[in-house]
Amino acid sequence: MLHEAFEMAIAEHLISKNPTTGTTLPKVAKKEMQVLNESQLDTFMKLIDEDEHWRDFFYTELTTGLRRGEVCGLKWTDFDEQNGKLNINRSISFKNGKVVEGETKTGKGKRSFYLPSSTAKVLSERKKTSYTEWIFNNPLKPEQPINPDAAYRKMKAMLKKAGLPSIRFHDLRHTFATHALTSGVDAKTLSGILGHTNASFTLDTYTHVTTDMQQRASNIVGGFMNDIFGEELKI
């Protein structure tokens, strides 16, 4: 903004040189990632199971890692029930009480992936009683989807009720990705599910996980190499 202002000043012959030229912009500090561990996740899952309206929404979020606008913007046309697949075609927001459909965050944001069988079953059962185009609709205004802000507020309230850390909605996505990687899902597959531009971005984002995975991998390699070559491999 300052650079453009000084450029306009040069054009008006008010100054001869732009003092911001060549300056380095400060890096924006990223918010620290928080992930629910297995015990915390189990507590949260038990709590959402008690809430009929939000149960399917948060179960789907925790088993897909969708962005908030993406999970709120799901339509039944996005759900391939026969093949158990989900197509991500949009991200939504609300402006002045109206739904605004937008593009997904990245070029690879539009994507299709197979759902866990349990999630596909949850959506299939939900579809039987649905009367709106949206998979997760506003119960008071069924012609509209769940407002992303309402989803955020509900999550915060549930976390507080359960005595869990007050994480961001995006941290549910991080929780899914972290547990997926530690469970053996390869980075390329996970990258496609998350809509990342490439697998290297996924690996860079979840360095805290991949470091542990590398340690486990080295132990596995050491184990089977020792089986092959015997005791002479040891120092």
Side-chain angles (χ1 to χ4, degrees):
M1 187 183 298
L2 282 173
H3 183 82
E4 291 299 321
F6 282 123
E7 286 296 305
M8 292 176 65
I10 291 174
E12 294 293 329
H13 305 290
L14 299 175
I15 58 175
S16 60
K17 182 180 179 182
N18 190 331
T20 65
T21 299
T23 57
T24 301
L25 293 175
K27 292 183 178 180
V28 178
K30 292 184 178 180
K31 292 184 178 179
E32 186 177 350
M33 182 190 307
Q34 295 186 77
V35 174
L36 296 178
N37 60 36
E38 290 186 12
S39 176
Q40 292 169 333
L41 186 56
D42 185 57
T43 298
F44 188 72
M45 296 293 276
K46 287 178 179 177
L47 184 61
I48 65 173
D49 198 46
E50 299 172 0
D51 193 313
E52 184 177 350
H53 176 63
W54 288 97
R55 178 183 60 221
D56 297 348
F57 176 87
F58 282 110
Y59 188 86
T60 300
E61 170 58 30
L62 286 166
T63 54
T64 59
L66 296 178
R67 298 179 180 93
R68 183 162 42 131
E70 292 175 345
V71 66
C72 290
L74 290 174
K75 295 182 179 181
W76 286 117
T77 52
D78 302 322
F79 176 43
D80 180 353
E81 186 175 8
Q82 183 176 355
N83 296 303
K85 297 183 71 176
L86 195 61
N87 301 296
I88 310 304
N89 295 308
R90 73 194 65 78
S91 180
I92 66 157
S93 60
F94 273 72
K95 290 186 179 179
N96 299 320
K98 295 183 178 180
V99 182
V100 178
E101 294 189 30
E103 296 293 323
T104 52
K105 186 177 180 181
T106 64
K108 290 193 175 181
K110 284 192 174 183
R111 57 203 187 275
S112 177
F113 55 86
Y114 286 99
L115 290 165
S117 58
S118 59
T119 310
K121 184 177 180 180
V122 163
L123 295 184
S124 293
E125 289 298 315
R126 186 179 183 83
K127 188 177 181 181
K128 292 177 182 178
T129 56
S130 178
Y131 50 89
T132 174
E133 66 174 324
W134 303 98
I135 293 182
F136 303 113
N137 63 289
N138 182 334
L140 300 179
K141 296 180 179 180
E143 73 280 4
Q144 292 187 352
I146 285 177
N147 189 319
D149 291 337
Y152 174 82
R153 290 192 296 270
K154 183 62 180 181
M155 181 203 70
K156 286 291 188 179
M158 297 178 83
L159 290 170
K160 184 176 181 180
K161 181 179 179 180
L164 295 171
S166 183
I167 63 175
R168 303 165 300 162
F169 195 97
H170 203 72
D171 288 322
L172 296 182
R173 177 174 166 87
H174 290 319
T175 295
F176 160 77
T178 296
H179 288 285
L181 283 170
T182 55
S183 296
V185 177
D186 67 275
K188 186 172 180 59
T189 298
L190 182 60
S191 175
I193 294 173
L194 294 174
H196 285 167
T197 51
N198 50 58
S200 62
F201 179 83
T202 304
L203 291 172
D204 288 343
T205 304
Y206 299 101
T207 304
H208 65 291
V209 182
T210 54
T211 300
D212 292 339
M213 291 170 68
Q214 290 170 356
Q215 181 61 54
R216 289 198 299 273
S218 67
N219 293 336
I220 293 171
V221 171
F224 75 69
M225 291 296 284
N226 192 51
D227 290 341
I228 295 172
F229 293 102
E231 292 298 316
E232 63 270 19
L233 190 65
K234 295 182 179 180
I235 296 176

